[in-house]
């Protein structure tokens, strides 16, 4: 069985994704692997109070796309123009 992580948007929508996919983000990787007893590393749940459901969904899609790209599957990752600014801000925060 694969290890999963739950990512929660500002509206409370939950995305359950493979831990490997979540680790694409340096920020999430740090939250899940840092010593010191952080709740994220214990529970595997990360809440993003400043990231909307629409943007978090696109970020999750990007995580999976990134894994495929790293394995040699070169496909285009489409971003809707109206999401660009908010997505760039979230990507900057997540270090993706």
């Amino acid at each position: 069985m694969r290890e999963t992580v739950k990512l929660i948007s500002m509206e409370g929508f939950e995305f359950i994704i493979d831990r490997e996919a979540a680790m694409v983000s340096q920020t999430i990787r740090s939250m899940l692997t840092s010593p010191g007893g952080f709740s994220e590393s214990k529970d595997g749940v990360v809440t993003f109070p400043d990231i909307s459901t629409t943007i978090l969904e696109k970020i999750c899609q990007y995580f999976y796309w990134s894994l495929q790209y790293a394995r040699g599957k070169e496909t285009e990752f489409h971003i809707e123009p109206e999401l660009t600014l908010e997505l760039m801000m979230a990507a900057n925060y997540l270090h993706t």
Side-chain angles (χ1 to χ4, degrees), residues 25-80:
S25 163
Q26 293 298 322
T27 301
I28 295 173
R29 179 189 308 258
S30 294
M31 290 175 170
L32 295 175
T33 60
S34 293
F38 292 105
S39 65
E40 292 88 356
S41 62
K42 285 189 222 169
D43 304 332
V45 176
V46 183
T47 302
F48 297 101
D50 297 324
I51 299 179
S52 70
T53 298
T54 303
I55 296 301
L56 190 55
E57 178 180 24
K58 196 68 172 178
I59 288 168
C60 291
Q61 291 170 1
Y62 172 78
F63 291 163
Y64 284 103
W65 176 88
S66 180
L67 289 177
Q68 290 180 346
Y69 186 84
R71 293 178 181 136
K73 184 176 180 184
E74 294 186 28
T75 59
E76 189 173 309
F77 185 75
H78 178 72
I79 299 173
E80 295 79 2

Side-chain angles (χ1 to χ4, degrees), residues 4-15:
T4 59
V5 174
K6 185 187 298 184
L7 307 180
I8 304 174
S9 71
M10 69 165 61
E11 296 89 355
F13 194 88
E14 299 176 355
F15 295 90

